[in-house]
Amino acid sequence: MTNSAKLGSNNLGVFNMGALPQTNYVSPEDYLRLENDRADDGTRCEYNNGQIYAMAGASRNHNLLSGALFVRLYTHLSNTRCQVFQSDMKVAIETLGDMRFYYPDVQVSCEDETDTYANKSPCLIIEVLSVSTVQKDRSEKLSGYRLIPALQEYVLCSQDSPYVEIYRRRNEWKLEYFTTGQVVRLESVGLDLSVDELYHFLK
């Protein structure tokens, strides 16, 4: 989708991931109305304070890694009140003067969520990094996700090499990183992940 693409009959501006902000303001209500009615094969869009960005497609490695993370979390949490979601469930960030909607690759919420299309209180969010999203994931999304009171951990996983970054609330969101031969502890859900096993598809 090009930077000049339009969404729906209201001609709401949609811009590629990473495009410079535009002046066309879209209200949260208009975004949600159109996005929640999107066809299953339609392009998903994220929202940041009036701007809509079309999401790029995911690579094979991206799908394998996000799928492996989902399966491990789903199995680990299957008999708990926590629920695991993949990339079709939005996260809503709603604070004074800041309104955003993102589609994390994987998220976990242990709260009683009532919105059909978005979680507001995830405790864990995981994004799989790609060349086109790495800057946004490490800056814009990190600053946005930190505004969620329930969030305890934000995890970034490289799709092309065995490398995992973790930002934790208890550590004032300071960077921790893990690589080959190490085990990642997801404290928010009590799960240990071997980096080597997680990235077995790269061998």
Side-chain angles (χ1 to χ4, degrees):
M1 184 174 291
T2 65
N3 287 356
S4 61
K6 301 295 182 181
L7 177 66
S9 60
N10 284 356
N11 289 330
L12 302 181
V14 181
F15 312 104
N16 280 340
M17 187 76 74
L20 293 176
Q22 306 293 319
T23 56
N24 295 341
Y25 175 82
V26 178
S27 72
E29 295 77 16
D30 282 342
Y31 163 74
L32 289 173
R33 177 174 53 80
L34 291 168
E35 186 69 8
N36 293 343
D37 289 339
R38 170 180 52 84
D40 290 341
D41 59 350
T43 299
R44 289 176 297 149
C45 295
E46 297 186 321
Y47 180 91
N48 184 355
N49 293 299
Q51 302 299 318
I52 295 178
Y53 297 87
M55 298 182 65
S59 69
R60 179 180 299 274
N61 283 358
H62 186 289
N63 275 279
L64 289 171
L65 182 54
S66 60
L69 288 161
F70 174 83
V71 169
R72 283 164 171 77
L73 285 163
Y74 182 85
T75 301
H76 177 68
L77 298 170
S78 60
N79 293 318
T80 72
R81 67 192 299 264
C82 300
Q83 294 181 311
V84 188
F85 300 88
Q86 292 181 290
S87 57
D88 277 332
M89 174 63 80
K90 290 187 288 295
V91 163
I93 303 170
E94 301 175 336
T95 64
L96 184 62
D98 204 323
M99 181 77 72
R100 311 187 202 187
F101 295 93
Y102 293 126
Y103 284 99
D105 291 305
V106 182
Q107 59 174 300
V108 176
S109 178
C110 300
E111 304 296 328
D112 293 327
E113 303 278 4
T114 58
D115 191 297
T116 302
Y117 297 102
N119 288 329
K120 297 181 179 180
S121 300
C123 61
L124 171 66
I125 291 177
I126 302 176
E127 297 279 13
V128 176
L129 299 174
S130 66
V131 174
S132 64
T133 66
V134 58
Q135 183 176 358
K136 183 172 185 174
D137 289 339
R138 285 177 173 157
S139 55
E140 177 189 315
K141 287 192 175 181
L142 173 59
S143 67
Y145 288 147
R146 287 171 55 173
L147 299 174
I148 301 172
L151 188 69
Q152 299 302 310
E153 292 172 308
Y154 178 45
V155 180
L156 299 176
C157 300
S158 169
Q159 67 175 357
D160 298 317
S161 60
Y163 180 79
V164 178
E165 301 176 9
I166 299 186
Y167 301 84
R168 307 185 204 266
R169 181 177 297 277
R170 68 157 180 81
N171 196 28
E172 298 182 344
W173 305 108
K174 294 177 182 176
L175 171 63
E176 302 173 38
Y177 59 88
F178 303 83
T179 188
T180 303
Q182 295 182 300
V183 173
V184 178
R185 176 70 173 178
L186 299 181
E187 298 175 357
S188 58
V189 293
L191 176 62
D192 292 329
L193 295 173
S194 164
V195 174
D196 292 337
E197 291 179 4
L198 195 59
Y199 285 89
H200 71 279
F201 61 88
L202 293 178
K203 297 178 181 179

